[in-house]
Amino acid sequence: MALSKGALLGILILVIVVIVGAALLMIPPAPTPTTTPTATTPAVTTPTVTTPAVSEVKIGVVLPLSGRHAETGADLKRGVEFALEKINAAGGIKNLGGAKLVVVWGDSAGDSATGAAEAERLIKEEKVVALMGAYQSSVTKTASEVAESYKVPFLNPDSTSPVLTERGYTWFFRTTAHDGTFAEQHVEFINYLNSTYGGLKTVAIINEDTEWGASTAKVWKELFSAAGYRIVAEVSYHAATVTSLDSEVERLKAANPDVLLIAAYANDGILLVRTMKAKNFAPKVALAQDAGFIDPAYVQQIGKDGYYFMSREVFNWDLLEKIPELKKVNDEYRAKYGVNLNGNSARDYTGVWVLYWAIEEAAKVASPTDLEAFRKAIRDALAKMDVPPERIIMPWGGIKFDSKGQNILARGIVVQMSPTDGKYHTVYPREVATVDIIFPFPSWEKR
């Protein structure tokens, strides 16, 4: 049946209305302002909006997830995962339209060559925008060499060999303080004990012999000698193969030092303490350089034998009493994992946030689709970073890198394992201490 001219005109108008309506529905909504959350505080507004270009951004994290340091690696991994969970729950990378920040793991197995190979795999095959890791200074050294050669930012939150930031690298950044800083604080602490209690004149050093332990011992010797203390023994061992420290402890005991300085990882730290007990070796002060002595595996296994030992730390649970804003973060972490944040997990948690903040800044000037430009933008953002202390959970003055890539606002604390509850408590600096120092280290028979 033929349609009238009026009917045809009506149908034509209807078709035009449908087409125009459909076109209007396809126009995307106007973008909304973006915000950048902090590690400890509510989100704050950032000035730039970037059109989404990717659904996710990958960072590579190299850790000892197997081998002798696997338990430590698991601890560090929890800190990384917890930070990622909070960042993505808060909306992801705002300046990339909410792209998720994801991690691709690399397992160093505690070996420097394997760590370097994993770093290269993450860069070339996984196309990560930046790398993070790698706990052991010897592994961080080789993995970051690879990153430097490929011009990929490397954020190190947990390695403390001073030489890592003395290589003239331009893509390497370290958030934690290094052993030179900590050694200076050790001298300051022993000076404080001397002024308070007196009787500390001689020092002995025992250290594992890889990059971290050797460099720590070297700095200790230089600084304590300069401060007027006499070095009466220097003993080293190879942590990867050591099964007995009998001869090493006998040498230390024969030297009869007032202060014993210890650079050990978890397993060899346990072996050292048990050997000291077996040999009845008890200097007035036993002070460790973090690492194994604050490792959860050490704390769990050493039991009462670990009482009265002191260690340098970068974070401790009782700081929550001094820094109230930390409580919420730690409560959430403990609810999820059943343990408190410690120096390892807290540093890697903070490291992820630092990298995230740099990525947000990089997204204002580059896109992850241009990987080379985006990596450079992240590097530039790290170099310019200036984070105030209230945005981080660490007891630092904030985060600001010098020309070598070292965070000049990082610092340490000293903790002592208490016989009252078997936990480490902060004892120095005194302004953040929560208990009195137990001095001297009691003999094994009087415990």
Side-chain angles (χ1 to χ4, degrees), residues 117-163:
E118 285 291 83
E120 186 161 20
R121 177 182 66 82
L122 294 172
I123 293 169
K124 295 178 66 176
E125 298 179 17
E126 297 292 344
K127 310 295 184 186
V128 299
V129 300
L131 284 174
M132 203 178 98
Y135 180 60
Q136 296 155 279
S137 292
S138 57
V139 180
T140 299
K141 185 177 182 179
T142 56
S144 59
E145 285 173 358
V146 173
E148 188 78 10
S149 68
Y150 282 98
K151 297 184 177 180
V152 175
F154 193 107
L155 194 287
N156 168 236
D158 47 30
S159 301
T160 56
S161 171
V163 302

Side-chain angles (χ1 to χ4, degrees), residues 369-400:
T369 55
D370 184 345
L371 194 54
E372 181 177 348
F374 197 69
R375 286 169 171 169
K376 183 179 183 304
I378 294 173
R379 195 217 77 85
D380 292 345
L382 288 168
K384 297 175 183 176
M385 184 166 285
D386 189 357
V387 178
E390 59 268 21
R391 292 187 71 190
I392 58 176
I393 65 171
M394 302 301 296
W396 299 341
I399 296 171
K400 186 174 185 178

Side-chain angles (χ1 to χ4, degrees), residues 412-435:
I413 59 176
V414 177
V415 296
Q416 184 175 36
M417 187 177 284
S418 170
T420 59
D421 57 10
K423 295 180 179 178
Y424 279 117
H425 293 258
T426 304
V427 295
Y428 192 83
R430 294 305 295 166
E431 60 266 27
V432 295
T434 57
V435 296

Side-chain angles (χ1 to χ4, degrees), residues 148 154 162-175 178 379 383 400-408:
E148 188 78 10
F154 193 107
V163 302
L164 292 173
T165 43
E166 298 294 331
R167 298 175 292 174
Y169 284 7
T170 57
W171 296 80
F172 182 81
F173 297 86
R174 172 164 54 189
T175 48
H178 59 67
R379 195 217 77 85
K400 186 174 185 178
F401 298 105
D402 64 15
S403 60
K404 299 176 180 179
Q406 175 63 45
N407 177 20
I408 58 175

Side-chain angles (χ1 to χ4, degrees), residues 53-241:
V54 294
S55 60
E56 64 178 31
V57 171
K58 294 192 291 187
I59 61 173
V61 179
V62 179
L63 291 174
L65 300 176
S66 63
R68 291 173 58 87
H69 301 295
E71 289 191 51
T72 303
D75 190 31
L76 296 160
K77 186 180 179 184
R78 284 193 290 269
V80 171
E81 290 177 333
F82 188 56
L84 286 171
E85 181 179 303
K86 290 181 71 67
I87 289 167
N88 288 327
I93 305 168
K94 304 300 186 299
N95 289 327
L96 290 175
K100 299 297 183 185
L101 186 63
V102 300
V103 62
V104 184
W105 299 104
D107 180 11
S108 71
D111 177 73
S112 56
T114 303
E118 285 291 83
E120 186 161 20
R121 177 182 66 82
L122 294 172
I123 293 169
K124 295 178 66 176
E125 298 179 17
E126 297 292 344
K127 310 295 184 186
V128 299
V129 300
L131 284 174
M132 203 178 98
Y135 180 60
Q136 296 155 279
S137 292
S138 57
V139 180
T140 299
K141 185 177 182 179
T142 56
S144 59
E145 285 173 358
V146 173
E148 188 78 10
S149 68
Y150 282 98
K151 297 184 177 180
V152 175
F154 193 107
L155 194 287
N156 168 236
D158 47 30
S159 301
T160 56
S161 171
V163 302
L164 292 173
T165 43
E166 298 294 331
R167 298 175 292 174
Y169 284 7
T170 57
W171 296 80
F172 182 81
F173 297 86
R174 172 164 54 189
T175 48
T176 186
H178 59 67
D179 292 328
T181 305
F182 294 135
E184 290 172 358
Q185 289 187 309
H186 280 164
V187 174
E188 176 186 302
F189 176 58
I190 298 301
N191 285 341
Y192 169 79
L193 292 179
N194 247 340
S195 64
T196 306
Y197 305 103
L200 303 177
K201 299 179 180 178
T202 59
V203 172
I205 299 170
I206 182 166
N207 62 278
E208 62 87 35
D209 65 359
T210 66
E211 174 68 32
W212 169 70
S215 62
T216 295
K218 180 174 182 290
V219 174
W220 270 337
K221 183 179 180 180
E222 293 172 353
L223 293 179
F224 274 91
S225 296
Y229 294 92
R230 185 162 61 90
I231 308 299
V232 294
E234 299 173 68
V235 179
S236 65
Y237 59 89
H238 193 55
T241 57

